[in-house]
Amino acid sequence: MWTVDAMPDLAGRTAVVTGANAGIGFPTALELARHGARVIVASRDQDKGRAAAARILDQAPGGHAEFERLDLADLGSVRAFADTMRSRLDGLDLLINNAGIGMIPRQTTADGFEMQLGTNHFGHFALTGLLMPLLLVRPGARVVTVASDAHKFGTLDFGDLELREGYGRMSAYGRSKLANLLFAFELQRRAGSRLLSVATHPGVTATNIMKLGPLTGVVNALLRVAVQPAEAGAVPSLYAATSPDIRGGEFVGPKLKEPAISAAARDEALARRLWTVSEELTGVEFRDLVPR
């Protein structure tokens, strides 16, 4: 069984991890730093993000971690983050699209998207497109997108992407995770041999992704007792990001096995339509990739 001890030396490589201040994002960033990577801790909360970078430096002596603010629910923030990365980096080896929000009451992003789809999919779609020039200059660059087994509960109705009718917390979350899978697979088809795009499912993990109002603290405390810790949930992402055995277009789950994938997630026509709609709504085009 693969473990983080099998990770290669990542010296000279640069990684961006979204949502790296908490949940599975923190151990993902920590292990990358421990193995020599320069890690950008991307988080919307400046205090928590800076604290996470400091914790990584404390737990990974000689490592390199730095904070940069990123709010995936605001395309202006996504563009500002990408501008900063392009001005500071000469290339990017790893992009871990990890941040997410789940099962919240209906809300909208700064750009008017339904919050779960807007944060989990549109924000990462735009971020990946804006960072694509940095990725393509690095041989073997990888994009790892954290999806979920919950994608099987999601459907995409392009006539009501805002979910003004019939909003459900779980179905909206599942829809955003379906979009993550469709994006990861379509990115690989468009990129060909120029990079690897891999999706992961961490398994049921103790994180703070669920926002349930007054019950949030109680539920998350119970989860920390009943399910696997964040360190275990990070393993699929770390394997996808670093293993020489990974192939583009894979979906890596707990115990590094492929989870069951819904027919919708394998629908290439649906993926192409989502891609086109995502470009139109975010204003971000993947100019460096040739459309199929």
Side-chain angles (χ1 to χ4, degrees), residues 83 112 149 212 247:
D83 287 344
D149 190 52
L212 301 174
R247 299 184 305 276

Side-chain angles (χ1 to χ4, degrees), residues 188 191-196:
Q188 185 61 64
S193 62
R194 302 180 71 185
L195 59 74
L196 294 183

Side-chain angles (χ1 to χ4, degrees), residues 2-171:
W2 187 92
T3 68
V4 296
D5 292 333
M7 288 172 60
D9 181 8
L10 300 175
R13 301 188 188 183
T14 301
V16 168
V17 183
T18 68
N21 62 289
I24 66 171
F26 179 79
T28 299
L30 174 60
E31 290 300 335
L32 292 174
R34 277 178 172 160
H35 287 79
R38 175 186 180 184
V39 178
I40 311 297
V41 174
S43 168
R44 65 181 176 181
D45 188 304
Q46 295 193 41
D47 292 339
K48 292 180 180 179
R50 294 186 196 281
R55 286 167 56 208
I56 290 171
L57 294 176
D58 182 60
Q59 296 179 40
H64 187 122
E66 57 197 270
F67 164 75
E68 190 63 40
R69 186 177 183 277
L70 169 66
D71 184 353
L72 290 161
D74 181 348
L75 291 179
S77 175
V78 174
R79 290 183 182 278
F81 176 89
D83 287 344
T84 299
M85 292 299 99
R86 290 195 297 264
S87 69
R88 286 168 44 187
L89 305 179
D90 58 8
L92 181 62
D93 301 277
L94 299 171
L95 172 59
I96 315 294
N97 289 327
N98 164 82
I101 191 166
M103 289 158 276
I104 60 172
R106 187 184 180 279
Q107 301 173 35
T108 56
T109 69
D111 304 280
F113 305 134
E114 182 275 314
M115 183 64 78
Q116 295 192 69
L117 186 65
T119 301
N120 299 351
H121 169 64
F122 286 130
H124 280 126
F125 178 92
L127 178 67
T128 306
L130 293 167
L131 295 180
M132 189 56 58
L134 291 176
L135 289 159
L136 292 180
V137 299
R138 290 293 176 89
R142 301 187 186 190
V143 177
V144 177
T145 300
V146 178
S148 170
D149 190 52
H151 78 275
K152 291 182 286 189
F153 301 111
T155 59
L156 279 168
D157 177 0
F158 290 98
D160 186 23
L161 286 178
E162 296 80 14
L163 291 183
R164 293 191 177 94
E165 302 292 334
Y167 180 84
R169 297 186 186 200
M170 186 62 191
S171 59

